[in-house]
Amino acid sequence: SRRQRQMCIRDRLNDHPVVVNLEGIDLMEAQRIMDFISGCIFAISGNMCQVSRFIFIFSPNGVEISGDYIKSLETEESYNIASFNKEF
C-alpha cells in the first residue's frame, strides 16, 4: 500500500540516502509524496538534491551528496524545487 511505501522511505531516511523518481506519477500524487518526504527530511535535518524535474535524492543529516552533475544543477536557473501543483 502507499502508506507502507511511505513508512519504508521514512525508516530508510534515518540511515541511507533515498532516490525518488516521480516521473509518470499523477501530479497531485507526486505532490503528496513530496510533502510527506519533505516533512521527514525536515524532521531529521536532512538534505534534498533535485537531479531532474521529477527525480530527487534525499539524505539524512551527515550524508553529503556530491558530484559534478549536482554542482552544475545548482548553477542553472531552472534549478528550482517548487511545488508540482502550479494551481495554488
Side-chain angles (χ1 to χ4, degrees):
S1 75
R2 181 178 62 187
R3 181 79 171 150
Q4 289 173 326
R5 287 189 301 262
Q6 289 175 335
M7 296 303 110
C8 179
I9 290 171
R10 181 202 64 195
D11 293 343
R12 269 215 178 267
L13 280 172
N14 286 321
D15 301 316
H16 300 86
V18 173
V19 176
V20 177
N21 181 350
L22 299 172
E23 291 178 1
I25 294 179
D26 173 73
L27 290 180
M28 294 301 287
E29 180 72 15
Q31 186 65 57
R32 284 192 293 270
I33 293 167
M34 285 299 292
D35 292 345
F36 175 80
I37 298 174
S38 295
C40 293
I41 285 295
F42 178 79
I44 64 170
S45 300
N47 301 298
M48 176 174 70
C49 257
Q50 185 174 8
V51 176
S52 72
R53 176 147 167 78
F54 295 106
I55 300 175
F56 300 85
I57 302 173
F58 298 91
S59 61
N61 191 15
V63 175
E64 185 176 331
I65 305 298
S66 63
D68 294 336
Y69 184 71
I70 300 298
K71 289 177 186 172
S72 71
L73 282 174
E74 292 172 348
T75 60
E76 289 183 17
E77 289 180 24
S78 64
Y79 182 76
N80 185 4
I81 307 173
S83 68
F84 292 111
N85 187 355
K86 302 296 182 188
E87 295 175 13
F88 299 160

